[in-house]
Amino acid sequence: MADAQLSTAAVRAHRVCGLVPDVLEVGIQDTPAGTSARQALRLRGGSGDAGLALVHGARGAMHLHRAADLPALAAALRPSEETDLRKQSFGPFFAGLSGSVGAAIDEVATAMAAVMADGVRRSKGELSTSLRATVDARLRPWCDRCAVDHVNDALFRLASLPAGLRLIPNGDGSADFVATGALGPVGDVSAGRRELVRRFLRYAGPTNRDGLAGWLGLSPAAARRWWALADVVPVSVDGRRLFLHPDDLAAARSAPPADGVWLLPPNDPILELGDRELLVPDATDRKRVWRPTANPGALLLDGAVAGTWRRRADTVTVTPFGSLSATHRRRLAAATDGEVVVAES
């Protein structure tokens, strides 16, 4: 049977349907702490902190999640073995680790929970220093930059969620850790992973196994195991073979045309979960949106990423990839709460 056909325009329209608060099902990346996730929520009409928690989630990066989802998330994200983790995301530390990476995470998480049980709010440095007295030396390699041995940074981040720790932004891009008690029963690992992959497909589809691996920082072997838990159907998008959950195919076919102007914050789920080649076909433009550090925001015109933007004080500077129509300029001015300057790319 031939693959179902979807146009790029249909895919973009389907992706814009993700501009809803339910995107918290997969979490919203928050980098620096206290910045991008709040912007993404406001864009979707969400507000307030009730029931939400900032934690180290996918790839160990800071994500805003529903607190009720944390036990299942912790179970799903716990690596089965050291080869589950992609070196590009986590570095070479785990490849040379003797013993189970899961056991290492458990050891550091237990030590973290013990330190934080006194209810004191601690910075990352303060917590890291406190762990040196109890964590095994093999998990505390020497750090030339800090001139001290401390828990490997990726291991530190991976252990903080199962330790029951959340992050409280300080208002300057940094965050402190607080203890919120045990997560409770974490549930079945396979069930947690199956649900996480289902949610990923809902907001990232159509996509492929590489998209899942990039989002979670998984090695190819681990991505294959996770992907096998999913129900998917192949679709052809401009000659590329991608995949959707069967229940999402009808929605993608019937999504109304994307119509509007949005200023997506850096790390918005539309940018972080979606297939980058579909969102931004031109390779040079992709490098403008996704940079090694300090990503700009993205200008979304009728579902297509059409430029970047940055804010300084009350001025938003928009750099489109091409020309903007008069209608788009009017809508852009209405979409911001300050002065808009359109720059040349």
Side-chain angles (χ1 to χ4, degrees):
M1 181 181 295
D3 295 351
Q5 301 288 316
L6 286 177
S7 67
T8 298
V11 170
R12 289 171 175 167
H14 179 58
R15 292 284 294 142
V16 172
C17 290
L19 283 168
V20 292
D22 284 348
V23 78
L24 281 164
E25 286 190 347
V26 289
I28 303 176
Q29 187 170 336
D30 198 31
T31 308
T35 57
S36 58
R38 298 299 174 189
Q39 294 178 57
L41 275 183
R42 286 195 296 270
L43 182 68
R44 291 161 172 80
S47 61
D49 296 327
L52 303 181
L54 182 63
V55 298
H56 283 296
R59 307 181 311 285
M62 288 182 286
H63 284 74
L64 192 68
H65 280 275
R66 293 182 180 131
D69 289 339
L70 296 183
L73 182 68
L77 294 181
R78 186 181 186 274
S80 300
E81 51 192 80
E82 52 271 22
T83 55
D84 283 359
L85 303 176
R86 192 167 64 167
K87 289 183 181 180
Q88 298 96 309
S89 300
F90 295 100
F93 170 78
F94 295 100
L97 184 65
S98 59
S100 164
V101 64
I105 290 173
D106 293 343
E107 179 178 340
V108 175
T110 298
M112 284 179 164
V115 169
M116 298 298 293
D118 60 7
V120 174
R121 175 171 168 168
R122 288 179 172 84
S123 68
K124 180 180 179 180
E126 291 168 339
L127 177 54
S128 180
T129 298
S130 298
L131 297 177
R132 295 179 65 214
T134 55
V135 173
D136 191 287
R138 67 191 176 90
L139 306 179
R140 296 185 284 108
W142 179 260
C143 175
D144 288 332
R145 185 181 66 177
C146 301
V148 69
D149 59 293
H150 60 67
V151 173
N152 170 266
D153 182 65
L155 177 58
F156 184 101
R157 289 183 278 115
L158 290 172
S160 65
L161 175 58
L165 306 187
R166 302 185 190 183
L167 291 148
I168 306 296
N170 292 318
D172 59 0
S174 66
D176 291 342
F177 287 94
V178 295
T180 56
L183 289 178
V186 294
D188 180 73
V189 172
S190 293
R193 290 179 177 175
R194 184 178 296 108
E195 175 61 20
L196 194 58
V197 174
R198 172 68 188 101
R199 294 181 179 190
F200 171 74
L201 287 167
R202 182 177 295 128
Y203 293 102
T207 185
N208 56 26
R209 194 172 62 201
D210 291 341
L212 177 69
W215 178 50
L216 294 175
L218 297 175
S219 67
R224 283 193 293 271
R225 293 198 304 273
W226 281 57
W227 193 254
L229 300 171
D231 294 322
V232 296
V233 292
V235 296
S236 178
V237 183
D238 291 342
R240 294 182 63 205
R241 197 178 208 222
L242 300 171
F243 299 86
L244 276 170
H245 189 278
D247 293 347
D248 297 336
L249 181 56
R253 283 172 163 167
S254 61
D259 178 28
V261 176
W262 296 272
L263 292 178
L264 303 180
N267 308 306
D268 187 273
I270 284 181
L271 301 173
E272 291 306 298
L273 297 176
D275 184 291
R276 295 183 178 185
E277 189 172 333
L278 286 178
L279 289 171
V280 185
D282 184 82
T284 299
D285 290 340
R286 282 199 296 274
K287 292 179 181 179
R288 294 170 179 163
V289 177
W290 292 282
R291 302 175 64 85
T293 59
N295 287 341
L299 170 65
L300 196 70
L301 296 184
D302 302 335
V305 176
T308 63
W309 66 273
R310 292 188 185 275
R311 177 187 290 274
R312 177 171 293 180
D314 293 329
T315 300
V316 174
T317 300
V318 177
T319 306
F321 298 149
S323 60
L324 296 179
S325 68
T327 298
H328 282 147
R329 286 176 181 266
R330 287 194 298 270
R331 290 182 174 181
L332 179 59
T336 64
D337 55 3
E339 179 185 2
V340 178
V341 175
V342 178
E344 294 185 2
S345 58

